[in-house]
């Protein structure tokens, strides 16, 4: 192996807790970074990334379009109080968190190409039904169902990505994954503005109702197409030839710490995941990121404080997501080249968001607050993608069942933060929202401590 490749492998592997300091063990018949392997990776990317990206974009739009619907007239039509709206947000996450781990237990023994599109089709149909909600109680009930169905998607995608890519390939792919959520915010604002302006009153249906109907139909439609494209796991996918499957398995065996591929029971896999201290430290860090990121549900509300009304509110949320997208992609590309400093970079981004939140508490000029909101969002979104890649590569030594459960726990506990995050910006605290930004600054500080601790401890405890 030449010196440049050896140096790259050393940098790539240095933070992975289960690796020793030796070069990866040779795999019979496998030579890394050949033209055949590069061609295979491009093929894997072509099957997985565009399909997954659009699935997650639609997933996130279905999850967050309630914020756009609120400012488009839903709150008035359903006579929602601030607490009732917050509860409609919260119930989604309660069921989402509860069902994540069981969902990945099922997925690891199932086919992603069937499981993921199926649950996507079902939540798309439920989203369509939200276009006809007559009252607050029905809205809450349907949000519960969407939470149950969507709970299997994000952890399923995390498991799928970690099953196909080497650790030093994952940051870019997780960046692509999170970019879907970011751009869904931008597209969601544009689409919500266009629907509100052009469909409001069409066939006697309010614009916010059309928002649920149109976006839910798009989700259900794409789920059918995705079932014919999405790949399963390397050992059982039908999208690759036998030679390609063999190469896909060997490159993963070479590119990550040795792991047991034997089948294990759900209880044993669960025990291995929950007794690993890394799982819980990643949970603390990711809960801080997601808790602070609930800010995104209130972008339309916060932007309304600038004096905009109607569909202009939706359009003014777009620049926030565009800047966050650029920062996330740049960070993801860079971190595949320097994976050994992921903890430090996470700490830096979270520090930026923390400082922006603190300054926002002291600055009441709305234009200055908007600029701070853009910077804060960029730091949180870039941290989100990097945190998932960091966790996935660190858990690379686990057997598939345990890895799937550990990733589901991190993602689930992270989204648990969305429950209390939904109450950070009550309408009676407008326009300053001091409590909300104060809590966000505290969460960011927690994230800084957690990821710096991981950076240090994963180097210290390698076994």
């Amino acid at each position: 192996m030449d010196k440049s490749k050896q140096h790259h492998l050393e940098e790539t592997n240095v933070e992975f807790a289960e690796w020793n300091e030796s070069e990866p063990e040779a795999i019979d018949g496998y030579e890394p970074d050949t033209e055949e392997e590069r061609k295979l990776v491009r093929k894997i990317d072509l099957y997985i990334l565009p399909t997954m990206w659009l699935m997650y974009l639609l997933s996130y739009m279905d999850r967050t379009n309630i914020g756009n619907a609120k400012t488009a007239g839903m709150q008035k039509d359903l006579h929602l109080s601030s607490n009732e709206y917050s509860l409609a947000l919260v119930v989604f996450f309660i069921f989402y968190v509860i069902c994540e781990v069981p969902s990945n237990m099922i997925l690891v023994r199932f086919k992603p190409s069937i499981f993921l599109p199926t649950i996507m089709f079902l939540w798309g149909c439920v989203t369509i039904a939200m276009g006809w909600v007559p009252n607050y109680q029905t809205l809450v009930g349907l949000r519960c169902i969407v939470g149950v169905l969507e709970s299997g998607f994000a952890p399923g995608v995390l498991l799928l990505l970690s099953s196909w890519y080497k650790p030093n390939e994952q940051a870019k792919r997780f960046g692509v994954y999170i970019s879907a959520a970011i751009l869904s915010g931008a597209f969601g604002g544009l689409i919500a503005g266009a629907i509100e302006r052009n469909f409001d009153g069409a066939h006697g249906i309010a614009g916010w109702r059309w928002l649920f109907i149109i976006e839910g139909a798009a989700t259900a439609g794409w789920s059918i197409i995705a079932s014919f494209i999405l790949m399963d796991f390397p050992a059982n996918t039908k999208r690759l030839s036998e030679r390609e499957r063999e190469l896909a398995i060997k490159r993963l065996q070479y590119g990550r710490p040795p792991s047991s591929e034997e089948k294990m029971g759900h209880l044993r896999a669960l025990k291995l995941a929950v007794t690993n201290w890394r799982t819980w430290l990643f949970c603390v860090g990711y809960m801080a990121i997601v808790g602070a990121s609930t800010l995104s549900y209130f972008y339309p509300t916060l932007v309304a404080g600038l004096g905009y009304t109607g569909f202009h509110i939706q359009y003014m949320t777009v620049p926030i997501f565009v800047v966050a997208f650029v920062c996330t992609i740049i960070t993801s590309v860079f971190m595949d080249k320097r994976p050994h400093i992921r903890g430090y970079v996470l700490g830096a981004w979270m520090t930026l968001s923390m400082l922006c939140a603190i300054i926002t508490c002291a600055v009441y000029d709305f234009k200055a607050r908007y600029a701070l909101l853009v910077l804060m969002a960029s730091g949180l979104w870039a941290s989100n993608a990097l945190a998932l890649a960091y966790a996935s590569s660190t858990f690379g030594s686990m057997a598939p069942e345990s890895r799937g459960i550990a990733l589901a726990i991190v993602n689930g506990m992270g989204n648990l933060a969305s429950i209390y995050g939904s109450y950070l910006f009550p309408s009676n605290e407008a326009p300053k929202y001091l409590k909300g930004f104060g809590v966000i600054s505290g969460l960011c500080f927690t994230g800084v401590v957690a990821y710096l601790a991981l950076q240090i401890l994963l180097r210290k405890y390698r076994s």
Side-chain angles (χ1 to χ4, degrees), residues 348-375:
W349 273 124
M350 296 295 284
T351 298
L352 173 65
S353 296
M354 177 183 69
L355 293 175
C356 288
I358 292 172
I359 296 172
T360 302
C361 291
V363 175
Y364 301 139
D365 178 80
F366 285 121
K367 291 182 179 179
R369 277 192 153 201
Y370 183 78
L372 291 167
L373 190 61
V374 171
L375 293 175

PDB file of all heavy atoms in Angstrom, residues 348-375:
ATOM      1  N   ALA A 348     -17.248  23.392  17.325  1.00  0.00           N
ATOM      2  CA  ALA A 348     -17.150  24.744  16.749  1.00  0.00           C
ATOM      3  C   ALA A 348     -18.486  25.222  16.205  1.00  0.00           C
ATOM      4  O   ALA A 348     -18.909  26.365  16.451  1.00  0.00           O
ATOM      5  CB  ALA A 348     -16.091  24.749  15.645  1.00  0.00           C
ATOM      6  N   TRP A 349     -19.186  24.350  15.470  1.00  0.00           N
ATOM      7  CA  TRP A 349     -20.489  24.742  14.918  1.00  0.00           C
ATOM      8  C   TRP A 349     -21.499  25.013  16.033  1.00  0.00           C
ATOM      9  O   TRP A 349     -22.273  25.977  15.973  1.00  0.00           O
ATOM     10  CB  TRP A 349     -21.034  23.653  13.996  1.00  0.00           C
ATOM     11  CG  TRP A 349     -20.589  23.726  12.571  1.00  0.00           C
ATOM     12  CD1 TRP A 349     -19.963  22.752  11.847  1.00  0.00           C
ATOM     13  CD2 TRP A 349     -20.766  24.822  11.659  1.00  0.00           C
ATOM     14  NE1 TRP A 349     -19.731  23.177  10.554  1.00  0.00           N
ATOM     15  CE2 TRP A 349     -20.214  24.446  10.410  1.00  0.00           C
ATOM     16  CE3 TRP A 349     -21.331  26.089  11.768  1.00  0.00           C
ATOM     17  CZ2 TRP A 349     -20.212  25.280   9.296  1.00  0.00           C
ATOM     18  CZ3 TRP A 349     -21.334  26.929  10.654  1.00  0.00           C
ATOM     19  CH2 TRP A 349     -20.778  26.527   9.444  1.00  0.00           C
ATOM     20  N   MET A 350     -21.502  24.160  17.054  1.00  0.00           N
ATOM     21  CA  MET A 350     -22.442  24.350  18.158  1.00  0.00           C
ATOM     22  C   MET A 350     -22.119  25.619  18.948  1.00  0.00           C
ATOM     23  O   MET A 350     -23.017  26.293  19.457  1.00  0.00           O
ATOM     24  CB  MET A 350     -22.422  23.130  19.083  1.00  0.00           C
ATOM     25  CG  MET A 350     -22.901  21.840  18.445  1.00  0.00           C
ATOM     26  SD  MET A 350     -24.646  21.888  17.980  1.00  0.00           S
ATOM     27  CE  MET A 350     -25.411  21.684  19.583  1.00  0.00           C
ATOM     28  N   THR A 351     -20.833  25.957  19.039  1.00  0.00           N
ATOM     29  CA  THR A 351     -20.447  27.199  19.708  1.00  0.00           C
ATOM     30  C   THR A 351     -20.970  28.408  18.942  1.00  0.00           C
ATOM     31  O   THR A 351     -21.472  29.372  19.541  1.00  0.00           O
ATOM     32  CB  THR A 351     -18.917  27.287  19.831  1.00  0.00           C
ATOM     33  OG1 THR A 351     -18.451  26.194  20.641  1.00  0.00           O
ATOM     34  CG2 THR A 351     -18.499  28.601  20.485  1.00  0.00           C
ATOM     35  N   LEU A 352     -20.879  28.370  17.607  1.00  0.00           N
ATOM     36  CA  LEU A 352     -21.403  29.461  16.793  1.00  0.00           C
ATOM     37  C   LEU A 352     -22.902  29.639  17.028  1.00  0.00           C
ATOM     38  O   LEU A 352     -23.388  30.769  17.234  1.00  0.00           O
ATOM     39  CB  LEU A 352     -21.142  29.194  15.312  1.00  0.00           C
ATOM     40  CG  LEU A 352     -21.784  30.177  14.327  1.00  0.00           C
ATOM     41  CD1 LEU A 352     -21.194  31.574  14.493  1.00  0.00           C
ATOM     42  CD2 LEU A 352     -21.621  29.696  12.887  1.00  0.00           C
ATOM     43  N   SER A 353     -23.643  28.534  17.007  1.00  0.00           N
ATOM     44  CA  SER A 353     -25.094  28.619  17.226  1.00  0.00           C
ATOM     45  C   SER A 353     -25.410  29.120  18.626  1.00  0.00           C
ATOM     46  O   SER A 353     -26.355  29.901  18.822  1.00  0.00           O
ATOM     47  CB  SER A 353     -25.734  27.238  16.998  1.00  0.00           C
ATOM     48  OG  SER A 353     -25.582  26.829  15.658  1.00  0.00           O
ATOM     49  N   MET A 354     -24.637  28.681  19.608  1.00  0.00           N
ATOM     50  CA  MET A 354     -24.845  29.126  20.990  1.00  0.00           C
ATOM     51  C   MET A 354     -24.653  30.638  21.103  1.00  0.00           C
ATOM     52  O   MET A 354     -25.474  31.345  21.712  1.00  0.00           O
ATOM     53  CB  MET A 354     -23.873  28.409  21.920  1.00  0.00           C
ATOM     54  CG  MET A 354     -23.954  28.853  23.383  1.00  0.00           C
ATOM     55  SD  MET A 354     -22.727  28.035  24.429  1.00  0.00           S
ATOM     56  CE  MET A 354     -21.210  28.787  23.806  1.00  0.00           C
ATOM     57  N   LEU A 355     -23.584  31.163  20.508  1.00  0.00           N
ATOM     58  CA  LEU A 355     -23.322  32.596  20.572  1.00  0.00           C
ATOM     59  C   LEU A 355     -24.424  33.394  19.871  1.00  0.00           C
ATOM     60  O   LEU A 355     -24.841  34.456  20.360  1.00  0.00           O
ATOM     61  CB  LEU A 355     -21.963  32.910  19.944  1.00  0.00           C
ATOM     62  CG  LEU A 355     -20.737  32.365  20.700  1.00  0.00           C
ATOM     63  CD1 LEU A 355     -19.463  32.628  19.910  1.00  0.00           C
ATOM     64  CD2 LEU A 355     -20.652  32.976  22.089  1.00  0.00           C
ATOM     65  N   CYS A 356     -24.899  32.888  18.742  1.00  0.00           N
ATOM     66  CA  CYS A 356     -25.989  33.575  18.026  1.00  0.00           C
ATOM     67  C   CYS A 356     -27.254  33.615  18.884  1.00  0.00           C
ATOM     68  O   CYS A 356     -27.965  34.632  18.918  1.00  0.00           O
ATOM     69  CB  CYS A 356     -26.277  32.876  16.704  1.00  0.00           C
ATOM     70  SG  CYS A 356     -25.011  33.107  15.452  1.00  0.00           S
ATOM     71  N   ALA A 357     -27.559  32.501  19.586  1.00  0.00           N
ATOM     72  CA  ALA A 357     -28.745  32.455  20.436  1.00  0.00           C
ATOM     73  C   ALA A 357     -28.622  33.438  21.596  1.00  0.00           C
ATOM     74  O   ALA A 357     -29.590  34.125  21.961  1.00  0.00           O
ATOM     75  CB  ALA A 357     -28.956  31.035  20.959  1.00  0.00           C
ATOM     76  N   ILE A 358     -27.422  33.526  22.180  1.00  0.00           N
ATOM     77  CA  ILE A 358     -27.205  34.452  23.301  1.00  0.00           C
ATOM     78  C   ILE A 358     -27.360  35.901  22.843  1.00  0.00           C
ATOM     79  O   ILE A 358     -28.028  36.717  23.499  1.00  0.00           O
ATOM     80  CB  ILE A 358     -25.805  34.229  23.907  1.00  0.00           C
ATOM     81  CG1 ILE A 358     -25.746  32.860  24.590  1.00  0.00           C
ATOM     82  CG2 ILE A 358     -25.467  35.334  24.899  1.00  0.00           C
ATOM     83  CD1 ILE A 358     -24.343  32.463  25.051  1.00  0.00           C
ATOM     84  N   ILE A 359     -26.759  36.232  21.700  1.00  0.00           N
ATOM     85  CA  ILE A 359     -26.849  37.603  21.177  1.00  0.00           C
ATOM     86  C   ILE A 359     -28.290  37.955  20.836  1.00  0.00           C
ATOM     87  O   ILE A 359     -28.741  39.082  21.057  1.00  0.00           O
ATOM     88  CB  ILE A 359     -25.937  37.767  19.949  1.00  0.00           C
ATOM     89  CG1 ILE A 359     -24.470  37.581  20.356  1.00  0.00           C
ATOM     90  CG2 ILE A 359     -26.125  39.141  19.314  1.00  0.00           C
ATOM     91  CD1 ILE A 359     -23.511  37.523  19.182  1.00  0.00           C
ATOM     92  N   THR A 360     -29.042  36.969  20.304  1.00  0.00           N
ATOM     93  CA  THR A 360     -30.445  37.210  19.948  1.00  0.00           C
ATOM     94  C   THR A 360     -31.263  37.609  21.171  1.00  0.00           C
ATOM     95  O   THR A 360     -32.219  38.391  21.057  1.00  0.00           O
ATOM     96  CB  THR A 360     -31.052  35.957  19.297  1.00  0.00           C
ATOM     97  OG1 THR A 360     -30.283  35.612  18.144  1.00  0.00           O
ATOM     98  CG2 THR A 360     -32.494  36.213  18.867  1.00  0.00           C
ATOM     99  N   CYS A 361     -30.896  37.092  22.335  1.00  0.00           N
ATOM    100  CA  CYS A 361     -31.609  37.454  23.568  1.00  0.00           C
ATOM    101  C   CYS A 361     -31.401  38.929  23.925  1.00  0.00           C
ATOM    102  O   CYS A 361     -32.207  39.515  24.655  1.00  0.00           O
ATOM    103  CB  CYS A 361     -31.138  36.579  24.731  1.00  0.00           C
ATOM    104  SG  CYS A 361     -31.634  34.849  24.611  1.00  0.00           S
ATOM    105  N   ALA A 362     -30.318  39.506  23.437  1.00  0.00           N
ATOM    106  CA  ALA A 362     -29.987  40.885  23.801  1.00  0.00           C
ATOM    107  C   ALA A 362     -30.260  41.881  22.687  1.00  0.00           C
ATOM    108  O   ALA A 362     -30.265  43.094  22.920  1.00  0.00           O
ATOM    109  CB  ALA A 362     -28.514  40.978  24.205  1.00  0.00           C
ATOM    110  N   VAL A 363     -30.500  41.388  21.467  1.00  0.00           N
ATOM    111  CA  VAL A 363     -30.719  42.263  20.309  1.00  0.00           C
ATOM    112  C   VAL A 363     -32.167  42.145  19.861  1.00  0.00           C
ATOM    113  O   VAL A 363     -32.645  41.044  19.589  1.00  0.00           O
ATOM    114  CB  VAL A 363     -29.770  41.888  19.147  1.00  0.00           C
ATOM    115  CG1 VAL A 363     -30.093  42.707  17.909  1.00  0.00           C
ATOM    116  CG2 VAL A 363     -28.324  42.101  19.565  1.00  0.00           C
ATOM    117  N   TYR A 364     -32.851  43.271  19.754  1.00  0.00           N
ATOM    118  CA  TYR A 364     -34.269  43.243  19.403  1.00  0.00           C
ATOM    119  C   TYR A 364     -34.558  43.835  18.029  1.00  0.00           C
ATOM    120  O   TYR A 364     -35.714  43.930  17.620  1.00  0.00           O
ATOM    121  CB  TYR A 364     -35.096  43.985  20.466  1.00  0.00           C
ATOM    122  CG  TYR A 364     -34.933  43.382  21.844  1.00  0.00           C
ATOM    123  CD1 TYR A 364     -34.815  44.188  22.975  1.00  0.00           C
ATOM    124  CD2 TYR A 364     -34.887  41.997  22.014  1.00  0.00           C
ATOM    125  CE1 TYR A 364     -34.657  43.642  24.235  1.00  0.00           C
ATOM    126  CE2 TYR A 364     -34.728  41.440  23.277  1.00  0.00           C
ATOM    127  CZ  TYR A 364     -34.608  42.258  24.382  1.00  0.00           C
ATOM    128  OH  TYR A 364     -34.458  41.707  25.626  1.00  0.00           O
ATOM    129  N   ASP A 365     -33.514  44.237  17.319  1.00  0.00           N
ATOM    130  CA  ASP A 365     -33.703  44.687  15.946  1.00  0.00           C
ATOM    131  C   ASP A 365     -34.014  43.468  15.084  1.00  0.00           C
ATOM    132  O   ASP A 365     -33.235  42.507  15.047  1.00  0.00           O
ATOM    133  CB  ASP A 365     -32.431  45.379  15.434  1.00  0.00           C
ATOM    134  CG  ASP A 365     -32.573  45.820  13.990  1.00  0.00           C
ATOM    135  OD1 ASP A 365     -33.180  46.875  13.749  1.00  0.00           O
ATOM    136  OD2 ASP A 365     -32.068  45.088  13.100  1.00  0.00           O
ATOM    137  N   PHE A 366     -35.136  43.482  14.381  1.00  0.00           N
ATOM    138  CA  PHE A 366     -35.592  42.276  13.687  1.00  0.00           C
ATOM    139  C   PHE A 366     -34.685  41.893  12.519  1.00  0.00           C
ATOM    140  O   PHE A 366     -34.510  40.707  12.222  1.00  0.00           O
ATOM    141  CB  PHE A 366     -37.031  42.459  13.202  1.00  0.00           C
ATOM    142  CG  PHE A 366     -38.040  42.361  14.313  1.00  0.00           C
ATOM    143  CD1 PHE A 366     -38.890  43.424  14.597  1.00  0.00           C
ATOM    144  CD2 PHE A 366     -38.131  41.220  15.076  1.00  0.00           C
ATOM    145  CE1 PHE A 366     -39.812  43.337  15.626  1.00  0.00           C
ATOM    146  CE2 PHE A 366     -39.054  41.119  16.104  1.00  0.00           C
ATOM    147  CZ  PHE A 366     -39.899  42.180  16.387  1.00  0.00           C
ATOM    148  N   LYS A 367     -34.098  42.857  11.849  1.00  0.00           N
ATOM    149  CA  LYS A 367     -33.200  42.520  10.748  1.00  0.00           C
ATOM    150  C   LYS A 367     -31.930  41.849  11.277  1.00  0.00           C
ATOM    151  O   LYS A 367     -31.435  40.888  10.693  1.00  0.00           O
ATOM    152  CB  LYS A 367     -32.855  43.775   9.950  1.00  0.00           C
ATOM    153  CG  LYS A 367     -34.042  44.328   9.173  1.00  0.00           C
ATOM    154  CD  LYS A 367     -33.646  45.546   8.343  1.00  0.00           C
ATOM    155  CE  LYS A 367     -34.857  46.064   7.566  1.00  0.00           C
ATOM    156  NZ  LYS A 367     -34.518  47.275   6.760  1.00  0.00           N
ATOM    157  N   ALA A 368     -31.407  42.357  12.393  1.00  0.00           N
ATOM    158  CA  ALA A 368     -30.248  41.725  13.008  1.00  0.00           C
ATOM    159  C   ALA A 368     -30.599  40.323  13.496  1.00  0.00           C
ATOM    160  O   ALA A 368     -29.810  39.377  13.358  1.00  0.00           O
ATOM    161  CB  ALA A 368     -29.745  42.578  14.172  1.00  0.00           C
ATOM    162  N   ARG A 369     -31.797  40.177  14.050  1.00  0.00           N
ATOM    163  CA  ARG A 369     -32.237  38.860  14.520  1.00  0.00           C
ATOM    164  C   ARG A 369     -32.365  37.878  13.356  1.00  0.00           C
ATOM    165  O   ARG A 369     -32.055  36.695  13.488  1.00  0.00           O
ATOM    166  CB  ARG A 369     -33.585  38.981  15.233  1.00  0.00           C
ATOM    167  CG  ARG A 369     -33.457  39.402  16.698  1.00  0.00           C
ATOM    168  CD  ARG A 369     -34.771  39.225  17.422  1.00  0.00           C
ATOM    169  NE  ARG A 369     -34.545  39.006  18.848  1.00  0.00           N
ATOM    170  CZ  ARG A 369     -35.422  38.446  19.660  1.00  0.00           C
ATOM    171  NH1 ARG A 369     -36.577  38.029  19.184  1.00  0.00           N
ATOM    172  NH2 ARG A 369     -35.159  38.298  20.939  1.00  0.00           N
ATOM    173  N   TYR A 370     -32.813  38.360  12.221  1.00  0.00           N
ATOM    174  CA  TYR A 370     -32.948  37.501  11.044  1.00  0.00           C
ATOM    175  C   TYR A 370     -31.568  36.994  10.614  1.00  0.00           C
ATOM    176  O   TYR A 370     -31.392  35.805  10.303  1.00  0.00           O
ATOM    177  CB  TYR A 370     -33.615  38.264   9.907  1.00  0.00           C
ATOM    178  CG  TYR A 370     -33.864  37.426   8.670  1.00  0.00           C
ATOM    179  CD1 TYR A 370     -34.931  36.537   8.612  1.00  0.00           C
ATOM    180  CD2 TYR A 370     -33.030  37.524   7.562  1.00  0.00           C
ATOM    181  CE1 TYR A 370     -35.163  35.774   7.486  1.00  0.00           C
ATOM    182  CE2 TYR A 370     -33.251  36.769   6.424  1.00  0.00           C
ATOM    183  CZ  TYR A 370     -34.318  35.892   6.391  1.00  0.00           C
ATOM    184  OH  TYR A 370     -34.542  35.133   5.273  1.00  0.00           O
ATOM    185  N   ALA A 371     -30.565  37.887  10.586  1.00  0.00           N
ATOM    186  CA  ALA A 371     -29.201  37.488  10.232  1.00  0.00           C
ATOM    187  C   ALA A 371     -28.657  36.462  11.226  1.00  0.00           C
ATOM    188  O   ALA A 371     -28.026  35.467  10.840  1.00  0.00           O
ATOM    189  CB  ALA A 371     -28.290  38.716  10.182  1.00  0.00           C
ATOM    190  N   LEU A 372     -28.915  36.678  12.512  1.00  0.00           N
ATOM    191  CA  LEU A 372     -28.476  35.726  13.532  1.00  0.00           C
ATOM    192  C   LEU A 372     -29.192  34.381  13.382  1.00  0.00           C
ATOM    193  O   LEU A 372     -28.601  33.317  13.602  1.00  0.00           O
ATOM    194  CB  LEU A 372     -28.733  36.297  14.929  1.00  0.00           C
ATOM    195  CG  LEU A 372     -27.854  37.485  15.337  1.00  0.00           C
ATOM    196  CD1 LEU A 372     -28.421  38.164  16.587  1.00  0.00           C
ATOM    197  CD2 LEU A 372     -26.421  37.012  15.593  1.00  0.00           C
ATOM    198  N   LEU A 373     -30.464  34.437  13.002  1.00  0.00           N
ATOM    199  CA  LEU A 373     -31.244  33.221  12.786  1.00  0.00           C
ATOM    200  C   LEU A 373     -30.637  32.392  11.652  1.00  0.00           C
ATOM    201  O   LEU A 373     -30.563  31.162  11.735  1.00  0.00           O
ATOM    202  CB  LEU A 373     -32.692  33.588  12.452  1.00  0.00           C
ATOM    203  CG  LEU A 373     -33.730  32.473  12.421  1.00  0.00           C
ATOM    204  CD1 LEU A 373     -33.854  31.808  13.774  1.00  0.00           C
ATOM    205  CD2 LEU A 373     -35.081  33.029  11.976  1.00  0.00           C
ATOM    206  N   VAL A 374     -30.178  33.058  10.586  1.00  0.00           N
ATOM    207  CA  VAL A 374     -29.549  32.372   9.459  1.00  0.00           C
ATOM    208  C   VAL A 374     -28.276  31.664   9.915  1.00  0.00           C
ATOM    209  O   VAL A 374     -28.046  30.484   9.594  1.00  0.00           O
ATOM    210  CB  VAL A 374     -29.236  33.368   8.324  1.00  0.00           C
ATOM    211  CG1 VAL A 374     -28.392  32.695   7.247  1.00  0.00           C
ATOM    212  CG2 VAL A 374     -30.527  33.901   7.716  1.00  0.00           C
ATOM    213  N   LEU A 375     -27.429  32.347  10.681  1.00  0.00           N
ATOM    214  CA  LEU A 375     -26.181  31.753  11.162  1.00  0.00           C
ATOM    215  C   LEU A 375     -26.448  30.607  12.136  1.00  0.00           C
ATOM    216  O   LEU A 375     -25.798  29.553  12.088  1.00  0.00           O
ATOM    217  CB  LEU A 375     -25.324  32.818  11.845  1.00  0.00           C
ATOM    218  CG  LEU A 375     -24.765  33.930  10.943  1.00  0.00           C
ATOM    219  CD1 LEU A 375     -24.051  34.978  11.781  1.00  0.00           C
ATOM    220  CD2 LEU A 375     -23.823  33.353   9.897  1.00  0.00           C
TER     221      LEU A 375
END
